[in-house]
Amino acid sequence: MDFKKWGSCVLLLLALAACKQEGNPFLLDSRQYHRDVEQWRSQRIARLRAPDGWLSYIGSGRLKKGSYQVGSAPTNDVVLPDGPEQLGTLDIGADGAVVINGQAGTGATLNGKPLRQATLQPVMEGVPDASRIQMGSGEFYLVRTGTVLGWRYRDAGSTRRRDFRGIDYFPVETRWRVEAQWHPFPEALKAVLLTSIGTPLQATVPGEAVFEINGRSHRLQPVLDEDAPASRRFFFIFSDRTSGRETYGGARYLYAAAPQDGKLVLDFNLALNPPCALTPHVVCPIAPAVNRLDLAVTAGEKYQALAQ
């Protein structure tokens, strides 16, 4: 899961929605705040509709050791949703190395050059560069999540992207912009999250946010987004009583700026659907048990199933 990509569009609003008064991020101008949230929603939709947004993902699958014929023809082992009928042969060794032998005349390129024989680097945690095969508006690449190797295909001209009509939201209410007490752990915890396909994902938990809603105390633990600036690394993966009903069942996502003077803002009006709610062709972390809130958070994005 690329936390940085998800966080970038959210963190823009963290600066706007604070609506600082005399340097205090916990004070709020209500009218300006509503305008900022609406502005962020427009920017969020624009990012989803972008050529490289989540809506461009239209194909995926898992791979094991062996040899695979790859292409859009239905006789292939790996059937792409578009592109050349015969892209080439993919060989996965016992050591996990992946070599592709591209078929001549497909028009596919790797690093700007015609696809021939090449070793492919999957997308994986800690590896900034991966091998991406271009086929017109389509792109094929590999991704490794834990021990699971898979493939992804995205297309800037996808029907899902073209027909996307937006997201439904709960009404913006300032009561859901909550001031929480920050309780750092003496030493950050190492945790294991589960993803939407059941694979483990290592994470670092620096502490917990404690807050009150209607007189009841609740707490959430963030994980650190190591790619984000140090002041903006808190990423909350949670669920609540709306999950699986009005909101996406697996998780809801929320980013927050780092604490100031032992406090931080949890703005549930900025709660997001995970990418898995937008396409079945990506993997994302689901809410851990510790972050299942016993209340209905009627704020942020709602979920409506998209046509597959």
Side-chain angles (χ1 to χ4, degrees), residues 63-128:
L63 299 167
K64 298 180 179 180
K65 182 181 70 173
S67 183
Y68 300 84
Q69 295 294 321
V70 182
S72 61
T75 53
N76 286 292
D77 305 305
V78 173
V79 180
L80 304 180
D82 202 354
E85 291 189 356
Q86 305 294 335
L87 177 65
T89 303
L90 201 64
D91 292 300
I92 305 172
D95 59 354
V98 184
V99 175
I100 190 166
N101 286 279
Q103 185 163 309
T106 64
T109 61
L110 178 63
N111 300 325
K113 298 179 180 179
L115 179 63
R116 297 292 183 262
Q117 184 180 78
T119 298
L120 300 182
Q121 171 61 57
V123 173
M124 55 191 299
E125 187 176 0
V127 178

Side-chain angles (χ1 to χ4, degrees), residues 223-239:
V223 298
L224 289 181
D225 179 353
E226 302 293 352
D227 292 327
S231 63
R232 301 176 178 177
R233 288 182 175 175
F234 285 11
F235 175 40
F236 293 87
I237 307 167
F238 75 98
S239 63

